[in-house]
């Protein structure tokens, strides 16, 4: 029997959202916060054209995409690092800071990959419980020690959808020592409409120890191709690039991400439609008597405690896949109007 690292015995498994089908064949996947829209024809065409070259390795430095992102956000190209999904960029961040005893602080519950990546990298996870579905930033600052190397701040938070306001975030960052890296995980940034929620890029510009993580998987509809990126100061981006695996971002992903930036107006109009549906879904749930935290992402969170799995299976009977966290609650992505109506019917019947 080969001998594996001991941590593998206790590491949590990442549970990806699955689709379900009702007895009469209906299926609405609201379990992975994906875009409910078909890919744009211009993006599909660019991929088809790029497919003619797949006998060649991709550009290892993703130069065109890096430059396009730098131009889009008005940052130097040296401040951009790409990866196959922002979860991989997060993994690279863990690789850059982890050494025996290194502590990484994050809120809990938050993005499920954080504990997994910490264990893999050999870092010590310091989880700070949410309060009222929000980051407890005072407790997170109190948790900083000499061994703290990195802090993940997920805003809006997955799975509760609650973002962090400008003053609270700034006051927190003022308490973080300069040698601790703060990662603002903004996977859902494009869905934010509350003007009190700061753009992480404005914060990074003022603070050398802050970087921002974003993705093409959600608002840009490229979850299946895996492209994410970091924007951070030169030493941070350079460290992340150093620990990448060669050719990690494949050529079709690079092409599709570039085509998506070119079609950004169309994609952001779709995001507007999802935001409208989010308002409709949240208000309908509240009218049904549910408590729904104010979400700025493309999902809602229902705290269901012991009834979580029962709720998920009741939704499943209607062909609606949600993301249950046993004993805690369920996260439900905003889909197209038909999917949302089906979910709302299931939610009303469950109450
Ligand atoms: N961060 C957060 C907060 C997420 O919810 C997700 C996706 N569920 C990711 C990062 C990773 O996204 P991707 O790897 O598809 O870019």
């Amino acid at each position: 029997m080969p001998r594996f690292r001991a941590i593998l015995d206790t590491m949590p498994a990442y549970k990806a959202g699955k689709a379900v089908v009702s007895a009469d064949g209906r299926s609405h996947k609201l379990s992975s916060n994906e875009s409910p829209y078909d890919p744009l024809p211009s993006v599909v065409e660019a991929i088809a054209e790029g497919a003619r070259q797949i006998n060649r390795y991709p550009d290892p430095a993703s130069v065109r995409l890096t430059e396009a992102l730098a131009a889009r956000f008005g940052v130097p190209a040296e401040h951009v690092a790409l990866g196959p999904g922002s979860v991989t960029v997060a993994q690279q961040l863990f690789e850059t800071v982890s050494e025996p005893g290194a502590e990484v602080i994050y809120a809990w519950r938050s993005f499920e990959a954080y504990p997994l990546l910490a264990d893999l990298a050999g870092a010590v996870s310091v989880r700070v419980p949410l309060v009222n579905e929000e980051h407890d930033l005072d407790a997170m600052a109190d948790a900083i020690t000499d061994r703290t190397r990195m802090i993940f701040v997920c805003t809006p938070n997955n799975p509760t959808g609650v973002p962090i306001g400008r003053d609270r975030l700034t006051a927190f960052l003022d308490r973080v020592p300069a040698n601790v890296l703060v990662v603002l995980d903004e996977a859902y940034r494009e869905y934010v409409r509350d003007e009190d929620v700061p753009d992480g890029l404005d914060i990074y510009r003022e603070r050398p120890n802050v970087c921002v993580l974003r993705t093409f998987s959600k608002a840009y509809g490229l979850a299946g191709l895996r492209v994410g990126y970091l924007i951070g100061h030169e030493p941070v981006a350079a460290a992340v690039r150093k620990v990448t695996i060669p050719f990690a971002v494949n050529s079709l992903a690079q092409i599709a991400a570039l085509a998506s930036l070119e079609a950004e107006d169309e994609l952001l109009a779709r995001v507007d439609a999802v935001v409208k549906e989010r308002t409709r879904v949240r208000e309908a749930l509240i009218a049904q008597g549910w408590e729904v935290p104010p979400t700025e992402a493309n999902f809602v969170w229902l705290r269901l405690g012991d009834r979580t799995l029962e709720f998920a299976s009741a939704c499943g009977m209607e062909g609606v896949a949600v993301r249950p966290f046993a004993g805690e609650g369920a996260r439900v992505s905003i889909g197209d109007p038909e999917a949302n109506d089906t979910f709302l019917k299931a939610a009303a019947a469950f109450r």
Side-chain angles (χ1 to χ4, degrees), residues 189-274:
R189 169 68 208 170
E190 295 82 2
Y191 300 96
V192 172
R193 292 293 175 274
D194 181 347
E195 287 181 4
D196 184 44
V197 178
D199 182 328
L201 293 178
D202 292 336
I203 296 181
Y204 124 88
R205 283 182 229 275
E206 290 170 6
R207 296 178 189 256
N209 65 331
V210 172
C211 65
V212 172
L213 208 51
R214 292 198 183 163
T215 180
F216 282 92
S217 297
K218 315 290 179 183
Y220 293 80
L222 297 183
L225 281 175
R226 319 300 301 122
V227 201
Y229 56 96
L230 167 138
I231 296 181
H233 290 266
E234 223 264 319
V236 180
V240 167
R241 280 196 296 265
K242 213 167 201 177
V243 298
T244 192
I245 288 177
F247 307 110
V249 182
N250 73 68
S251 46
L252 300 184
Q254 292 183 35
I255 286 167
L258 266 168
S260 301
L261 284 177
E262 275 160 26
E264 199 171 35
D265 290 350
E266 270 175 282
L267 291 168
L268 294 183
R270 292 174 159 193
V271 169
D272 279 340
V274 170

Side-chain angles (χ1 to χ4, degrees), residues 59-227:
D59 170 5
S62 305
V63 171
R64 286 184 63 209
L65 180 55
T66 301
E67 286 176 353
L69 282 167
R72 165 72 180 79
F73 294 115
V75 301
E78 298 71 41
H79 287 205
V80 180
L82 285 154
S86 58
V87 70
T88 309
V89 184
Q91 178 180 19
Q92 290 170 226
L93 281 162
F94 274 95
E95 295 295 339
T96 62
V97 299
S98 300
E99 54 198 359
E103 294 174 359
V104 177
I105 300 173
Y106 52 87
W108 199 249
R109 175 166 290 278
S110 191
F111 182 33
E112 268 193 293
Y114 300 154
L116 190 76
L117 299 179
D119 283 358
L120 263 179
V124 176
S125 278
V126 179
R127 299 181 185 190
V128 179
L130 299 174
V131 173
N132 294 330
E133 320 296 8
E134 292 187 53
H135 280 60
D136 183 350
L137 292 175
D138 288 335
M140 287 175 75
D142 290 343
I144 296 170
T145 71
D146 291 347
R147 297 174 299 283
T148 306
R149 291 285 171 274
M150 183 164 69
I151 305 175
F152 261 79
V153 176
C154 186
T155 174
N157 187 47
N158 173 6
T160 59
V162 182
I164 300 172
R166 184 171 286 105
D167 292 348
R168 285 182 62 227
L169 187 56
T170 310
F172 167 72
L173 292 171
D174 286 343
R175 289 187 62 191
V176 178
N179 64 357
V180 173
L181 179 63
V182 179
V183 184
L184 301 178
D185 186 342
E186 294 190 332
Y188 303 96
R189 169 68 208 170
E190 295 82 2
Y191 300 96
V192 172
R193 292 293 175 274
D194 181 347
E195 287 181 4
D196 184 44
V197 178
D199 182 328
L201 293 178
D202 292 336
I203 296 181
Y204 124 88
R205 283 182 229 275
E206 290 170 6
R207 296 178 189 256
N209 65 331
V210 172
C211 65
V212 172
L213 208 51
R214 292 198 183 163
T215 180
F216 282 92
S217 297
K218 315 290 179 183
Y220 293 80
L222 297 183
L225 281 175
R226 319 300 301 122
V227 201

